[in-house]
Amino acid sequence: MVTLPAAAQPKTFSISEAFAAGDFDGIASVYYGLYDRITDWGHGLANVVVAPATESGCPDWERADPTNLEKPSSDSGPTDMAEVRRWSILIDDISGCDDKTSMLLWVDETTCQPNIVQISGPQADAEIAMRIIGRDIGAVPPLKDYKPGPLPDIHASRARAAANDNNPASDVTERLKRLQREHGGSIAGQSLFGATIEKQAGRITIDADGGAIFHTTRGSFHITETPRIAATSFVLGDPSAIPEREWLFGRHFIRKYATASVGPGGGGKTAHSISETLAMVTGRPLLDPDGPLTKPLRVWWINAEDPQDEINRRFHGAAKHFGVTNDQIGGRLFTDSGRDQEFVIARQEGKDLKIVEPFVADMIDEIRRREIDVVIIDPFVSTHEAQENDNGAMQRVTAAWVRVADEANCGVELVHHVAKNQGEVTADSARGGGAFKDKVRSMRVFNVMTPAESEKAGVEDHRSYFRVDMGKVNMVASGQSQWRRFASVSLMNGRGLIKNGDDIGVVEAWKWPSPDDLAERAASARAAVVAEVPAETLAGIKVRLGASAYKAHEQATNWAGTLIAEILRLDVKADKQRIKDMLAAWIDAGELEIVDLQDAHRHMKPHIKPVAAP
């Protein structure tokens, strides 16, 4: 601390009388005068600030540092004596000193002397800074009369900005405003107080070289500002130096982007996302046994419709099926229900759609706090009140979720339904406007297995199987479908005589049979069917086929299958597949063959005949 000689004090005003009389306007005029002296000489950057207070409300000068100083309550002057007693002047960017050095100047109420202390920066700068400040405040004419109004620097910058938008002072103000939007805080003079960067609080100033400086208790640091709109020159370089896309899971979930899974209700989307979630949090390849292991991720699974009890049932069922334990989850899984908390990102207010900014901020804060990698929202429709056929509204809602993903540095997966009466689900099948499809980075579509596919694959209940396809591919090459099936898992939570309790449908991986597997399965099925027909019956069939013209094509009026149905008393329509299997099996066994013969219209057509004996 340094105490200046009386010669350095202004001769035209008695500050002791102002303190004794409680004349806070008079005291403030002294501070503005000191502020003017420092600013006029230009050896440092000054701001009038309010120091912290003790429990009794007195100034706490010893605790003052760049992070706990406040701006005055009003630009037009102090509001009471208690505040003006805590007034002081913060001085940065002092000539010849480190850019981390900050000094605090105040007038002592008892001695009426200006005191100066160093509150940040190298201790070696203390004497230099005190000498420069002491010289500047005592080397100018008497203080100006105090007149309530805006702080001089703010007033001047506003006036100059009206005449010249390129004025440096105006530029500093605009830069501080942009920094305020990014980091919070409040602007006083040419400083941004209360800013927060990477969980540190402090003050931001713009130095003489135009750099933004962040002053904290740990020192002062240069920070990078978000630039204004500017065209960036592109130069080819080493492509191996470009950061790789940060895929999180399955070449679908990706950090800083929103993705989507779209399918019909009851088509497996929710159950599939639960199996995927357990795979992500455990790092185990639960849905792709042949795939690579991934590092465990932190996942927040949100169902906006189901109660928490149902969420618990589903996750317990999947964990039981895959043998997942709490140790494997490792505290990386978070689940919540929309019945307990609101997860609404956009609301309709009259004709206007409003993004719920407090919700967006809260989501980003919580994702950052929990260090979440992936957020899954199921279903998307329950998170907004927008008209789904309004492209503009859907774009805004989806863009809000994209903003969450970007600012929280996570992936956001939106589970979405398709429009009614859809056949094959594609990227265009998603409910609502096409803006949803266009805004998400990756989209998967879910299709339940058709009866024809079920017959081809040799499975019974086609509704227990579904496939997952990339409906929108703009980051990965299109690949083959991924097939899944439902497995039923009992929670054994029943009461009384019913011990099994709830049965949970759990999605697991399923592979479409290979061509060899299908051929072997078909041959086995045909053999089983043929085994049902006695040899003497087959002999009779061969005689009838040899005596008449029966065609090989099932659509023909005289199809060979109609003869089989007649002899074996089958229904041509209901038992068509069984009849086809019989004919194919007898052809494979060398009992029958397909030959081209002339029909009644003298056209050559394939017919089925018995193989002639050698």
Side-chain angles (χ1 to χ4, degrees):
M1 181 180 294
V2 63
T3 301
L4 300 179
Q9 295 303 309
K11 305 300 183 181
T12 59
F13 186 85
S14 174
I15 192 171
S16 59
E17 294 177 359
F19 273 118
D23 180 6
F24 53 78
D25 281 347
I27 298 171
S29 70
V30 174
Y31 277 100
Y32 282 128
L34 294 171
Y35 164 88
D36 283 345
R37 294 185 179 196
I38 296 168
T39 301
D40 289 346
W41 277 102
H43 295 138
L45 178 65
N47 281 289
V48 177
V49 296
V50 180
T54 64
E55 292 184 1
S56 62
C58 296
D60 193 347
W61 305 114
E62 293 183 0
R63 194 166 59 88
D65 64 56
T67 66
N68 59 16
L69 300 174
E70 304 173 3
K71 68 176 184 177
S73 58
S74 172
D75 289 347
S76 60
T79 57
D80 54 43
M81 192 64 184
E83 179 187 321
V84 82
R85 281 195 172 98
R86 294 163 50 204
W87 270 34
S88 54
I89 298 175
L90 179 67
I91 308 161
D92 298 307
D93 298 329
I94 303 166
S95 298
C97 296
D98 190 276
D99 59 10
K100 298 182 179 63
T101 298
S102 296
M103 308 297 289
L104 193 68
L105 182 156
W106 74 91
V107 179
D108 188 279
E109 181 177 356
T110 304
T111 65
C112 295
Q113 291 287 317
N115 295 325
I116 308 172
V117 296
Q118 182 179 13
I119 59 175
S120 69
Q123 186 61 37
D125 285 349
E127 184 176 354
I128 298 173
M130 290 179 184
R131 287 181 179 276
I132 291 174
I133 296 169
R135 181 194 62 195
D136 288 355
I137 65 175
V140 294
L143 296 174
K144 303 173 184 178
D145 291 336
Y146 170 72
K147 295 182 180 180
L151 291 175
D153 60 330
I154 295 178
H155 177 78
S157 66
R158 286 174 180 167
R160 287 192 295 266
N164 182 3
D165 289 339
N166 295 319
N167 187 278
S170 175
D171 183 62
V172 168
T173 302
E174 291 304 314
R175 289 174 64 189
L176 289 176
K177 287 180 180 178
R178 291 199 302 275
L179 289 164
Q180 182 184 39
R181 288 193 291 269
E182 293 182 41
H183 307 297
S186 56
I187 298 173
Q190 293 187 323
S191 291
L192 174 61
F193 292 89
T196 302
I197 301 176
E198 294 182 357
K199 299 181 180 180
Q200 291 191 55
R203 180 175 53 87
I204 298 176
T205 61
I206 308 299
D207 65 15
D209 296 327
I213 309 298
F214 185 46
H215 306 273
T216 72
T217 54
R218 299 180 182 179
S220 299
F221 312 92
H222 284 279
I223 60 175
T224 302
E225 299 177 70
T226 301
R228 296 178 177 180
I229 296 175
T232 304
S233 176
F234 176 79
V235 178
L236 288 173
D238 180 5
S240 65
I242 300 173
E244 187 179 4
R245 292 179 184 132
E246 198 166 351
W247 295 105
L248 294 167
F249 186 79
R251 291 287 167 168
H252 173 67
F253 299 89
I254 182 170
R255 200 178 295 281
K256 289 185 173 290
Y257 289 97
T259 56
S261 290
V262 177
K269 302 185 302 299
T270 298
H272 187 266
S273 71
I274 290 174
S275 295
E276 278 188 319
T277 295
L278 290 180
M280 285 189 273
V281 298
T282 62
R284 294 172 53 192
L286 304 181
L287 289 176
D288 188 6
D290 299 326
L293 291 171
T294 62
K295 70 173 184 179
L297 302 173
R298 299 173 69 83
V299 181
W300 190 4
W301 195 90
I302 299 169
N303 191 298
E305 293 183 346
D306 291 340
Q308 189 64 45
D309 282 348
E310 183 61 23
I311 295 173
N312 294 341
R313 292 186 193 100
R314 286 173 173 256
F315 271 95
H316 276 82
K320 182 177 180 180
H321 180 71
F322 292 113
V324 172
T325 65
N326 274 327
D327 288 341
Q328 293 171 350
I329 292 174
R332 291 178 291 273
L333 174 61
F334 306 87
T335 64
D336 283 289
S337 166
R339 298 194 186 188
D340 301 325
Q341 305 179 65
E342 280 200 344
F343 294 95
V344 179
I345 203 166
R347 291 196 179 280
Q348 198 72 33
E349 295 183 6
K351 294 183 179 181
D352 296 329
L353 180 71
K354 301 289 186 182
I355 301 300
V356 186
E357 293 297 339
F359 169 78
V360 172
D362 289 346
M363 283 292 293
I364 293 171
D365 288 345
E366 183 64 3
I367 293 167
R368 288 174 175 171
R369 185 176 76 88
R370 296 286 194 174
E371 299 180 335
I372 302 293
D373 297 298
V374 175
V375 178
I376 298 177
I377 305 293
D378 183 7
F380 167 68
V381 67
S382 294
T383 68
H384 66 84
E385 298 175 354
Q387 297 295 323
E388 288 188 324
N389 60 352
D390 184 336
N391 266 321
M394 291 297 287
Q395 184 177 43
R396 290 186 61 203
V397 175
T398 312
W401 281 115
V402 172
R403 178 150 61 97
V404 171
D406 181 65
E407 295 186 22
N409 195 37
C410 69
V412 172
E413 166 80 343
L414 304 173
V415 180
H416 195 30
H417 298 310
V418 299
K420 294 182 179 179
N421 302 320
Q422 287 285 337
E424 176 80 2
V425 176
T426 68
D428 294 322
S429 304
R431 249 171 41 187
F436 175 79
K437 175 195 70 175
D438 298 336
K439 202 67 180 175
V440 297
R441 180 55 62 187
S442 172
M443 179 184 286
R444 301 180 301 189
V445 295
F446 286 57
N447 278 287
V448 177
M449 180 183 283
T450 64
E453 289 173 328
S454 173
E455 184 177 301
K456 185 176 180 181
V459 300
E460 294 184 2
D461 185 5
H462 71 94
R463 291 166 295 186
S464 294
Y465 298 78
F466 61 92
R467 74 176 193 272
V468 182
D469 298 293
M470 297 304 294
K472 173 185 175 181
V473 183
N474 61 3
M475 276 197 173
V476 296
S478 179
Q480 296 180 343
S481 300
Q482 292 180 319
W483 281 95
R484 307 287 189 241
R485 70 178 172 189
F486 281 99
S488 182
V489 177
S490 175
L491 295 183
M492 302 303 292
N493 61 341
R495 300 293 183 268
L497 298 177
I498 304 176
K499 297 297 184 184
N500 289 348
D502 295 318
D503 289 326
I504 304 299
V506 177
V507 168
E508 62 181 7
W510 181 77
K511 286 188 176 181
W512 185 270
S514 67
D516 290 342
D517 290 339
L518 291 173
E520 183 180 345
R521 187 179 300 172
S524 177
R526 289 195 295 268
V529 171
V530 170
E532 299 176 7
V533 180
E536 58 271 21
T537 303
L538 174 59
I541 291 172
K542 293 170 68 175
V543 170
R544 294 281 300 276
L545 288 173
S548 300
Y550 286 96
K551 293 182 178 179
H553 199 282
E554 62 188 80
Q555 298 297 327
T557 303
N558 57 337
W559 176 45
T562 59
L563 174 63
I564 306 302
E566 176 189 339
I567 295 175
L568 300 180
R569 297 181 180 181
L570 299 175
D571 186 294
V572 175
K573 292 183 178 180
D575 300 315
K576 179 178 284 189
Q577 187 59 47
R578 184 181 177 189
I579 295 170
K580 289 167 63 178
D581 287 342
M582 287 181 182
L583 290 170
W586 286 324
I587 292 171
D588 288 345
E591 298 289 346
L592 303 175
E593 65 178 345
I594 298 176
V595 296
D596 287 333
L597 299 174
Q598 195 175 66
D599 63 9
H601 302 285
R602 297 183 179 182
H603 297 145
M604 297 300 291
K605 297 291 183 180
H607 289 64
I608 293 182
K609 290 289 183 178
V611 175

